[in-house]
Amino acid sequence: MDDDTGHRADATALVWAALGGEAGLAGRVRHGGARGLLPARLPVMDLAGAAVAGCALAGAELAAARTGGALPAVRVDDGAVATAFLSERHLRIDGRAPASFAPLSGFWRTADGHVRTHANYPHHRDRLLAALGLPDTAGPETLAAELAGRGAAETEETVYAAGGLAVAVRAPEEWSGHPQGAAVARQPLLTLDRIGAGTPPVRPPGLAGGPLLPAAGLRVLDLTRVIAGPVATRTLALLGADVLRLDAPGLPESREAHADTGFGKRSAVLDLGSRAGRGTFEELLSAADVVVTGYRPGALDRFGLAPEALAERRPGIVVARLSAWGDHGPWGARRGFDSLVQAATGIAVTEAAADGTPGALPAQALDHATGYLLAAAVLRALTERSRTGGARLATLALTRTAALLTDVLPRRVPAPADAYDPAVRLAECDSPAGRLRHALPPVSFDGGPVNWARPPGEWGADAPAWW
């Protein structure tokens, strides 16, 4: 076993333990493929490989439980993982590359350091400019001049108070001493708990014929946005689930983001603030197996979507919750994105350029890794539900995944990069949005699917109903 394979195996065992899986199963995963991909000072490839391995193993475990057969062999290919972790960059729509970060998103020098802003959506851009007293026509030069005269921490608080998105770039030791960093440090990578009243085991029917789809026949309500949650539900769709994504009317969504993460799903618009919308949601919930949410803690509670409330109305439901900053600490109710979490938690300083300019990971690895971990937690919850019954709650956060990367996985000198052409892990298909070039899924086990059954449709174009 070479060093890369050994480190992947150790990281996989750690992830599998966090998922509550049987210890001996982690040793059955085989890692391989091109070395030296996703190079960084932090062990990004170990994180990525372990997250995908945990998800693939959880899928294989559920498949074995449903067939009554042996656990399918699981293999994780580093090239497949690295390509999938860059799926949004590999995407092409009729040959066109997706738009990158918006002009007002990025690192900015302040009077005492740097801040990172996120303004990819129009409402975030508007709130950022309003918080700083800038006109809505302001561009990067105006923003840079304004921030150069402000303190990083003061900017962070001013922008967040106005509903915008900006964080001060902190060194790792600054994050450790911050109340939110300290709160995250006390939490495990993820939690998978029983909630609600006890219910009998829920045993999905056996699987027969065709690709081995461990989530076949299961229904998933997807209330997530922006990479991590959609990656998780895209993976559940790959494994056979009927995934219905629900978005609020008027909340903008990127065409490119939906084209990247909408594979295998349907997409509907539903106003949970209306009586009719709530009634439709209750009908959907009454037949759902899983609800996945990706909003900050408490944001959906007013719609009756708190995990305990869902378990009361739908006994035996699996609820999976994802947030940026976690359920604990003073930032629990704040919005956040991968890029902001990298800046706050010390990753941007660790990956800084030689001149001290803040850097970034080679992929939005916190988003992607958390997405596969979230899918893995759902699959493990479904397996446990089939054995002992009861509703389950899985809780994950980008900051918890960041802590695994920065504080748990050992840093090491990366292996020299092998020659690798990602084209071998790309495919093309026709879709309502046009001709798509996309990354193939990295989750792989013997007899399992190698691609999604359906391309993404138009965002919000489907009826809010199960098939």
Side-chain angles (χ1 to χ4, degrees), residues 36-398:
L37 305 181
L38 300 181
R41 295 189 180 98
L42 291 167
V44 175
M45 200 64 228
D46 290 343
L47 170 69
V52 170
C55 184
L57 186 54
E61 180 191 40
L62 181 58
R66 294 187 65 176
T67 61
L71 183 82
V74 177
R75 179 175 174 81
V76 179
D77 180 87
D78 277 5
V81 173
T83 304
F85 267 56
L86 295 167
S87 64
E88 66 274 8
R89 301 185 197 178
H90 288 300
L91 178 72
R92 297 292 184 272
I93 304 177
D94 290 332
R96 299 187 305 275
S100 59
F101 280 97
L104 299 190
S105 295
F107 292 109
W108 309 89
R109 186 174 295 279
T110 64
D112 56 359
H114 291 83
V115 295
R116 175 93 195 202
T117 59
H118 192 287
N120 284 9
Y121 288 99
H123 57 297
H124 293 155
R125 179 185 184 278
D126 293 345
R127 292 169 186 170
L128 171 67
L129 295 177
L132 300 175
L134 298 176
D136 58 11
T137 57
E141 296 81 8
T142 303
L143 178 61
E146 175 65 27
L147 292 176
R150 291 175 175 262
E154 176 264 329
T155 299
E156 176 182 271
E157 294 304 317
T158 298
V159 173
Y160 264 104
L165 294 159
V167 299
V169 175
R170 291 175 170 83
E173 60 272 16
E174 292 177 295
W175 178 246
S176 297
H178 188 277
Q180 187 62 34
V184 171
R186 293 191 291 269
Q187 303 304 315
L189 171 61
L190 59 92
T191 56
L192 187 54
D193 302 313
R194 292 188 66 148
I195 58 172
T199 58
V202 178
R203 304 181 186 279
L207 304 173
L212 199 56
L213 300 175
L218 300 173
R219 290 169 165 171
V220 177
L221 287 174
D222 175 7
L223 285 77
T224 70
R225 294 170 57 81
V226 192
I227 302 184
V231 163
T233 51
R234 179 181 71 182
T235 304
L236 296 174
L238 169 76
L239 299 178
D242 179 5
V243 179
L244 178 61
R245 174 170 165 169
L246 300 176
D247 284 280
L251 193 61
E253 177 57 297
S254 160
R255 179 171 178 261
E256 292 89 351
H258 181 66
D260 176 42
T261 60
F263 281 89
K265 312 177 196 178
R266 289 176 297 123
S267 170
V269 172
L270 189 66
D271 182 5
L272 292 176
S274 71
R275 180 176 297 180
R278 290 287 293 277
T280 298
F281 181 84
E282 292 304 314
E283 291 178 10
L284 294 169
L285 178 64
S286 69
D289 296 281
V290 180
V291 176
V292 184
T293 66
Y295 295 80
R296 64 192 189 281
L300 299 176
D301 290 4
R302 69 186 188 278
F303 300 120
L305 271 66
E308 294 76 10
L310 291 169
E312 182 178 351
R313 302 199 306 280
R314 177 61 169 162
I317 194 77
V318 171
V319 182
R321 288 196 305 171
L322 163 73
S323 64
W325 306 107
D327 286 31
H328 303 83
W331 285 13
R334 292 191 175 190
R335 298 176 180 86
F337 292 90
D338 181 303
S339 59
L340 301 181
V341 174
Q342 288 193 41
T345 59
I347 292 173
V349 170
T350 300
E351 299 292 342
D355 64 359
T357 302
L361 299 176
Q364 294 193 68
L366 305 182
D367 263 334
H368 284 273
T370 307
Y372 290 107
L373 292 171
L374 182 64
V378 169
L379 295 165
R380 285 244 62 250
L382 291 166
T383 297
E384 292 300 324
R385 188 182 74 163
S386 73
R387 295 170 175 167
T388 61
R392 296 294 193 283
L393 170 62
T395 305
L396 297 91
L398 300 185

Side-chain angles (χ1 to χ4, degrees), residues 402-415:
L404 173 63
L405 176 65
T406 60
D407 301 333
V408 179
L409 298 179
R411 301 185 194 185
R412 59 197 178 92
V413 177

